[in-house]
Amino acid sequence: MSQPSSSSDPETPESELEESLNILEKPLKNGKKVSEANGEAHGLDDYIQMGGYVLLVCLAAELLILPQVSSMFYMMYAGAAPRVLSCDNTVFDSQLEGKEICFEIDQIGNCSHPNFQYQFKSINVEYNYFCDTSKLVKNSISIQMIGVLTGSIVFGQISDSFGRKIGTQFASIGMFIGWLIVVQSRNLLHFTVSRTILGFFTGGSVSVINVFIMENIPKKHRMWINMAITWSPNMPIYSLFAWIAGDWKTLAYINAFVCLPGFFFFQFFIHESPRWLVTKGKISEAVQVLKRQLKTSNQLHLIHEDLEDNLNMEYAKTVKQNTRKTKFSYYHLFVTPRLAITTAALAYSYWATSIINYGVLFNMEKLSGSIYWNSVWTGLMRYACNLSFGWADLKFKRIGRKFIHTSGLVIIFISLSVVVACYALHMNHEMKDVIRISILLASSMTSQIYIADGIVANELFPTPIRTIGYSFIQTWNRVGVVCSPFIFYLVSAKKLTLSSATCFQADYWLALPFCCMIFFSLIDTFSFECLLPETKGRHLVEHMPPRHEWWFGAGKVDKIVEEEEDVGEELRPLEA
């Protein structure tokens, strides 16, 4: 059966295991099982009910999500390429698109004194990056995302080893200091290094907070809470911050300030996750935390005298199922066929979704209209879809994780197909507003896909490797972010090497990134539908699969299975 928690102390004496198992035996001697006291089954999920403390967790999540949005969407403004109005003595036609102006500059061969028009004073404007040289800023974004990727991996281990709360607080402080370093940047190199450091802590914050939320909200309310407390409603707020700031340095100062409310609120009003405490064997502390949570929610009636015994049963099951103290790592995500398939399918889904989402966001300035309003409309469309699907998930039992995930991909497929058709028919100038709306709609649908992926991951990964699993798929999320700018390089590279006479071939390459996105989304749709189970209404998986199901690292299976049979009957109430 499953192995001990990743957070179990490797030096725990054997007497602790015996003491935990004695808890199981005492109720049986009295002819009554602990988990059936008062006629109710008291699993850990039964103590996590909707109430005041859950609302505090939601508020804390919002206060931590806003800094994440501030960091991840910062380059949408700070990396926005300006429009070139004139170059030396050459004034460009105002009807030309940005790529067409860059093509003209390439024909001129030199532009030493460009005159810019911009909506936000970005790094590009500050350090004179435009047209071909603006690719250096896009490359900088890819490097910055490597920091986010690394942070997701490292903080997965930190959270499982030292706790969800410590991991979250450490990430918040790192983000605050990181923004103060970003402001001191004097060139693109310094800016890239400081943003990469900041990205490390941003990735850590994203990795930890999602697991913490899932472990502290009732299973019935997981979907709608994650739909309501998400990045989408923060996009219009951040657009307002960017509009007020007007330049990248002022916006960085605002971002630093935004990190503080979440840190202090989390410190004084939020407790450590009881699930993590139980997997660490800190039963007394878990009992006290649950009592404080239920007191905050005015639900003290849920506390019975068998509370500590029930938590001891949870811990005893984890320890007894494998007497070897194992430190879990990323390779445990692949120890069984089911875990390997789950990990691969979710990792790909995150990667493909990030290609679509960030490919659009980091090139938002290329769309017609205001960069601020485009961001606002994207956020509002995302949030409207989130709330609609969150309500439907709560109202209708048949609408589950798969429906929400697949419906988003279907809309993306239709929207991007419209864009490709416009370019293929050479109607991109006449249909620019249709292209703009279709691209923004496709980007908006990625929000519900991210949420569905995150919920399914937390519902399928066992508690000992839940944070590790989530941080692993977040790593592939960041790999997608790193790759997204390079897909659009196919457009500009081909455009600059073609003459204006070969417009058909240029249009073909302009549509190529969207063709790639359609291909990726189709693979995501079939893999998610065919390889993963529906998880709506399921309890979180508390324990690792049985060792005899492992592909590798199972050790002496026969001995372990024999030991597990000794307590099979005592643990069966928990398995039910």
Side-chain angles (χ1 to χ4, degrees):
M1 318 237 326
S2 63
Q3 68 186 94
S5 163
S6 63
S7 46
S8 298
D9 186 348
E11 299 182 358
T12 303
E14 293 299 323
S15 59
E16 180 179 325
L17 172 60
E18 297 174 1
E19 180 180 349
S20 298
L21 292 174
N22 287 337
I23 299 297
L24 297 173
E25 297 172 359
K26 291 179 182 179
L28 290 170
K29 292 178 181 179
N30 296 329
K32 180 175 65 175
K33 295 175 182 175
V34 171
S35 60
E36 294 174 349
N38 302 314
E40 299 178 2
H42 289 158
L44 196 51
D45 277 328
D46 295 310
Y47 296 104
I48 300 176
Q49 302 291 330
M50 180 59 70
Y53 184 74
V54 173
L55 296 179
L56 290 179
V57 169
C58 292
L59 179 56
E62 169 58 27
L63 293 176
L64 292 173
I65 286 174
L66 184 55
Q68 295 171 10
V69 171
S70 301
S71 179
M72 293 301 300
F73 291 173
Y74 177 68
M75 291 306 296
M76 183 168 66
Y77 300 101
R83 176 185 177 87
V84 183
L85 296 179
S86 63
C87 181
D88 297 330
N89 296 323
T90 304
V91 179
F92 301 108
D93 187 345
S94 60
Q95 299 300 317
L96 293 177
E97 294 185 1
K99 288 190 178 74
E100 294 170 331
I101 292 174
C102 290
F103 178 76
E104 295 295 331
I105 292 175
D106 185 64
Q107 296 298 309
I108 295 173
N110 184 31
C111 184
S112 55
H113 297 89
N115 180 28
F116 294 142
Q117 179 186 53
Y118 53 87
Q119 302 178 53
F120 183 91
K121 188 176 181 180
S122 62
I123 288 290
N124 304 59
V125 177
E126 182 89 8
Y127 300 124
N128 212 33
Y129 292 104
F130 62 97
C131 290
D132 275 354
T133 56
S134 66
K135 291 182 181 179
L136 296 175
V137 178
K138 302 301 181 184
N139 291 341
S140 170
I141 296 174
S142 296
I143 296 173
Q144 295 168 29
M145 292 303 110
I146 294 176
V148 180
L149 185 154
T150 307
S152 298
I153 298 174
V154 173
F155 273 82
Q157 292 284 175
I158 291 176
S159 172
D160 280 343
S161 300
F162 301 102
R164 318 306 196 206
K165 184 172 181 178
I166 290 179
T168 299
Q169 295 298 77
F170 183 35
S172 295
I173 288 297
M175 291 174 67
F176 173 76
I177 296 174
W179 281 118
L180 298 182
I181 298 176
V182 168
V183 175
Q184 306 304 318
S185 302
R186 293 295 177 265
N187 53 50
L188 183 59
L189 176 61
H190 295 165
F191 179 81
T192 302
V193 171
S194 60
R195 276 283 300 165
T196 304
I197 295 172
L198 171 63
F200 174 81
F201 294 102
T202 303
S205 177
V206 173
S207 176
V208 178
I209 190 59
N210 285 280
V211 174
F212 180 85
I213 294 172
M214 289 296 294
E215 292 182 344
N216 285 274
I217 58 177
K219 66 178 185 297
K220 179 182 178 181
H221 302 280
R222 286 174 193 157
M223 179 58 78
W224 80 261
I225 287 179
N226 277 275
M227 287 289 192
I229 310 297
T230 183
W231 287 23
S232 302
N234 292 283
M235 291 182 66
I237 297 174
Y238 192 58
S239 298
L240 177 62
F241 290 166
W243 179 77
I244 293 173
D247 66 87
W248 66 274
K249 285 189 176 181
T250 305
L251 186 57
Y253 278 119
I254 293 176
N255 292 344
F257 173 78
V258 165
C259 296
L260 297 179
F263 173 83
F264 289 113
F265 188 89
F266 212 93
Q267 183 65 33
F268 295 111
F269 296 100
I270 303 299
H271 310 296
E272 182 56 82
S273 170
R275 290 185 191 276
W276 180 82
L277 292 172
V278 170
T279 61
K280 286 289 285 185
K282 299 181 178 182
I283 305 302
S284 297
E285 189 174 346
V287 169
Q288 295 303 315
V289 167
L290 279 173
K291 287 182 177 179
R292 288 196 292 268
Q293 291 181 4
L294 293 173
K295 182 179 179 181
T296 302
S297 300
N298 293 321
Q299 295 171 338
L300 291 175
H301 63 278
L302 295 176
I303 299 177
H304 302 286
E305 60 181 11
D306 63 349
L307 171 60
E308 186 168 353
D309 291 344
N310 284 323
L311 298 186
N312 268 297
M313 287 181 68
E314 293 277 0
Y315 176 63
K317 181 179 180 180
T318 301
V319 177
K320 183 64 178 181
Q321 286 173 338
N322 187 351
T323 56
R324 297 191 317 177
K325 302 295 185 287
T326 303
K327 189 73 173 178
F328 288 100
S329 187
Y330 288 95
Y331 82 87
H332 286 96
L333 298 172
F334 302 91
V335 293
T336 68
R338 171 50 56 191
L339 276 176
I341 290 172
T342 298
T343 303
L346 290 173
Y348 176 81
S349 184
Y350 263 108
W351 177 84
T353 306
S354 290
I355 290 286
I356 299 171
N357 183 37
Y358 289 97
V360 173
L361 291 179
F362 291 150
N363 291 275
M364 188 74 79
E365 76 278 3
K366 293 181 174 62
L367 299 179
S368 60
S370 166
I371 189 174
Y372 303 108
W373 280 111
N374 284 343
S375 179
V376 169
W377 292 127
T378 301
L380 292 178
M381 284 191 291
R382 288 186 179 204
Y383 202 45
C385 292
N386 289 350
L387 293 179
S388 300
F389 280 107
W391 175 83
D393 177 80
L394 188 63
K395 191 74 173 177
F396 305 105
K397 291 183 179 180
R398 298 189 64 179
I399 295 182
R401 316 320 190 206
K402 283 189 172 183
F403 178 87
I404 292 173
H405 182 275
T406 302
S407 61
L409 286 170
V410 169
I411 296 175
I412 288 174
F413 174 81
I414 295 173
S415 300
L416 295 182
S417 296
V418 171
V419 174
V420 172
C422 290
Y423 280 111
L425 298 173
H426 312 293
M427 300 177 64
N428 49 302
H429 288 281
E430 297 86 346
M431 305 287 287
K432 63 179 182 180
D433 288 333
V434 173
I435 292 175
R436 170 180 169 238
I437 294 173
S438 298
I439 292 175
L440 292 179
L441 181 60
S443 177
S444 300
M445 290 301 103
T446 60
S447 176
Q448 69 192 59
I449 299 174
Y450 279 132
I451 293 171
D453 285 345
I455 291 177
V456 170
N458 281 288
E459 289 175 333
L460 290 181
F461 287 129
T463 297
I465 59 171
R466 183 169 296 126
T467 306
I468 292 175
Y470 191 79
S471 66
F472 179 82
I473 62 175
Q474 281 293 322
T475 297
W476 284 97
N477 181 2
R478 305 313 165 201
V479 171
V481 180
V482 171
C483 295
S484 58
F486 296 105
I487 288 187
F488 281 87
Y489 280 6
L490 294 173
V491 176
S492 56
K494 195 69 175 179
K495 178 73 173 179
L496 292 177
T497 57
L498 294 173
S499 66
S500 57
T502 57
C503 58
F504 174 80
Q505 193 170 5
D507 284 347
Y508 169 79
W509 285 103
L510 284 172
L512 181 59
F514 304 107
C515 293
C516 293
M517 292 177 182
I518 291 173
F519 177 71
F520 296 150
S521 64
L522 287 175
I523 296 178
D524 187 10
T525 301
F526 289 111
S527 63
F528 198 93
E529 282 289 331
C530 299
L531 301 179
L532 299 180
E534 178 58 61
T535 61
K536 182 177 180 178
R538 291 191 178 188
H539 290 281
L540 295 183
V541 181
E542 300 292 350
H543 311 286
M544 289 291 288
R547 282 223 169 205
H548 64 268
E549 296 181 2
W550 289 23
W551 279 352
F552 52 86
K556 298 180 180 180
V557 176
D558 294 337
K559 180 178 178 181
I560 294 172
V561 172
E562 181 180 352
E563 290 175 346
E564 291 170 347
E565 291 173 352
D566 293 340
V567 293
E569 289 299 321
E570 298 159 74
L571 297 177
R572 196 147 294 142
L574 278 179
E575 294 174 340

